Amino acid sequence: MVRKQVNVSLNDAEFAALNFLALEHNTKRSTILKNLINHHQLKEPKMMPQQALEINHQLKKMGNNLNQLTKLAHQNGQMESLSPLYEMRDELNQICQQLK
């Protein structure tokens, strides 16, 4: 088996956490990283990144349309019809945030 080497850049907090784990387990930092890799279970993504980007793009387009409708309502003095538009805009923003 050919061993491969990987260099990792860590910020101060990450490096301190790695050092702490190595001291706590009385082992080398590399052993801690190997154990984390070998025993860490990744969650299955809810959707593929490309799907999330496409959904996010479509939602932003819908948000732009809502903003245009809101602007028209302001210009035409139809302020009473804005409440549902604001609610829809807020819901779209929440969905976009969840996709990030």
Side-chain angles (χ1 to χ4, degrees):
M1 175 174 68
V2 177
R3 310 269 307 167
K4 303 289 184 195
Q5 183 176 347
V6 175
N7 294 319
V8 178
S9 297
L10 303 173
N11 64 32
D12 290 338
E14 293 166 337
F15 188 73
L18 180 58
N19 280 334
F20 176 78
L21 287 171
L23 285 172
E24 188 177 53
H25 293 280
N26 194 27
T27 189
K28 294 188 262 182
R29 291 185 296 246
S30 59
T31 303
I32 294 295
L33 291 173
K34 288 176 195 174
N35 285 335
L36 288 170
I37 290 168
N38 290 327
H39 297 100
H40 182 71
Q41 298 296 318
L42 295 176
K43 294 180 182 175
E44 192 67 32
K46 294 179 185 175
M47 65 181 71
M48 299 305 292
Q50 188 61 36
Q51 290 173 312
L53 289 173
E54 179 60 30
I55 291 170
N56 193 30
H57 177 72
Q58 293 297 325
L59 289 171
K60 285 181 180 182
K61 287 171 55 176
M62 292 169 64
N64 287 339
N65 290 342
L66 281 173
N67 287 337
Q68 291 172 359
L69 290 171
T70 303
K71 183 179 178 180
L72 282 174
H74 274 290
Q75 290 173 344
N76 295 331
Q78 298 172 330
M79 304 299 283
E80 66 280 351
S81 63
L82 289 179
S83 180
L85 293 176
Y86 287 136
E87 290 173 15
M88 289 170 57
R89 183 195 62 195
D90 293 342
E91 288 177 26
L92 281 173
N93 285 334
Q94 288 176 355
I95 293 170
C96 287
Q97 290 301 316
Q98 291 174 357
L99 289 173
K100 289 184 180 179

